[in-house]
């Protein structure tokens, strides 16, 4: 059996990635493959418990990075790898790039620490494709304020934090241009989905 493909969605809060999770899964199924939608932090019972702590409990930036990677390890071992091995395509709302962007860029955790954690617990699988929903933080903030009555501790961060997160995402995308597809999230959802379809086309052999 051929293994499934691994697609990750990334972007700052309010960039609009979640809207496209189900349409992407439908697109994958329409091309004859099973699809699983999952998310980080989360994706397993333990990961979802850790998510509650991460989103609502104040903690030191290094602790935050360690807990993100702990949740990720469970996610990889218990959910992502088994699915891919069964030929299921995995669509993950965030993955390791988010730790480099938020904990690295946003919080200032040194990149070598994150690289070490990645090589220790998340060396593989790597996403086959990463869709980066790119949007100006001021525009993204307007969307979060409108759509989120109870913002979590990340969503309550100031614009300067999200400028750093966005810059870190764009730096990662520049370093791996074959894996990353940068989407202009200021466009209307239909136009964004057209960009997504063209990016996903490269996965269909
Ligand atoms: P997300 O599920 O995208 O938020 P929401 O459900 O509110 O749309 O992600 C939750 C938050 O976790 C988001 O603000 C980014 C943050 N995060 C990190 O800081 N580092 C990480 O490694 C991951 C996976 C997420």
């Amino acid at each position: 059996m051929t293994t499934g493909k691994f697609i990750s969605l990334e972007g700052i809060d309010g960039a609009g990635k979640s809207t496209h999770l189900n349409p992407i899964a439908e697109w994958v199924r329409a091309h004859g493959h099973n699809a699983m939608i999952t998310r980080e932090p989360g994706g397993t019972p333990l990961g979802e418990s850790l998510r509650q702590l991460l989103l609502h409990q104040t903690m030191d930036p290094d602790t935050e990075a360690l807990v993100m990677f702990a949740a990720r390890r469970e996610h990889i071992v218990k959910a992502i790898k088994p699915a891919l091995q069964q030929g299921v395509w995995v669509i993950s709302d965030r993955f390791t790039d988010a730790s480099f962007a938020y904990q690295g860029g946003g919080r200032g955790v040194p990149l070598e620490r994150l690289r070490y954690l990645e090589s220790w617990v998340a060396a593989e699988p790597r996403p086959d494709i990463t869709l980066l929903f790119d949007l100006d933080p001021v525009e993204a903030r307007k969307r979060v304020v409108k759509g989120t009555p109870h913002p979590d501790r990340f969503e309550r961060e100031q614009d300067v934090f999200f400028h750093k997160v966005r810059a870190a995402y764009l730096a990662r995308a520049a370093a791996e241009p074959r894996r990353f597809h940068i989407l202009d999230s200021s466009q209307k959802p239909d136009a964004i989905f057209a960009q997504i379809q063209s990016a996903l086309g490269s996965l269909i052999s």
Side-chain angles (χ1 to χ4, degrees):
M1 183 184 292
T2 54
T3 57
K5 301 284 186 194
F6 183 14
I7 302 165
S8 62
L9 279 64
E10 299 284 358
I12 62 172
D13 290 82
K17 61 190 166 43
S18 306
T19 315
H20 296 284
L21 283 166
N22 278 316
I24 291 171
E26 287 312 316
W27 184 94
V28 169
R29 291 180 189 121
H31 284 81
H33 305 282
N34 289 324
M36 175 182 98
I37 294 175
T38 186
R39 69 173 178 183
E40 289 205 350
T44 64
L46 175 58
E48 291 295 326
S49 299
L50 295 174
R51 178 185 177 92
Q52 289 312 311
L53 296 173
L54 285 160
L55 297 194
H56 303 294
Q57 178 100 41
T58 307
M59 60 183 83
D60 166 81
D62 285 318
T63 308
E64 189 177 281
L66 288 162
V67 179
M68 287 289 178
F69 273 96
R72 179 162 301 126
R73 180 65 187 168
E74 284 295 299
H75 193 206
I76 290 171
V77 173
K78 304 267 173 65
I80 296 176
K81 270 193 185 170
L84 293 174
Q85 279 161 4
Q86 287 166 28
V88 176
W89 286 38
V90 174
I91 303 153
S92 188
D93 188 348
R94 302 191 185 281
F95 194 60
T96 306
D97 298 306
S99 296
F100 282 88
Y102 280 79
Q103 281 65 56
R107 305 267 194 242
V109 173
L111 293 188
E112 67 265 21
R113 291 186 194 164
L114 300 173
R115 284 198 201 99
Y116 179 69
L117 287 173
E118 182 182 27
S119 68
W120 179 19
V121 302
E124 51 93 34
R126 313 254 308 184
D128 293 289
I129 200 168
T130 298
L131 302 170
L132 176 56
F133 291 74
D134 184 51
L135 187 62
D136 180 77
V138 175
E139 191 52 43
R141 150 110 28 228
K142 286 186 203 154
R143 295 184 185 181
V144 169
V145 167
K146 219 162 116 189
T148 318
H150 305 292
D152 61 44
R153 126 189 135 72
F154 292 100
E155 290 162 337
R156 288 198 301 271
E157 287 290 343
Q158 303 297 308
D159 290 348
V160 61
F161 175 85
F162 289 108
H163 280 288
K164 289 190 276 187
V165 173
R166 183 194 194 191
Y169 268 132
L170 290 172
R172 270 187 79 82
E176 278 187 79
R178 284 167 61 89
R179 174 165 69 88
F180 272 91
H181 290 256
I182 302 174
L183 309 172
D184 176 1
S185 254
S186 68
Q187 296 189 0
K188 296 224 161 15
D190 282 357
I192 296 171
F193 196 64
Q195 297 178 57
I196 292 172
Q197 280 177 298
S198 113
L200 294 180
S202 64
L203 293 179
I204 300 289
S205 44

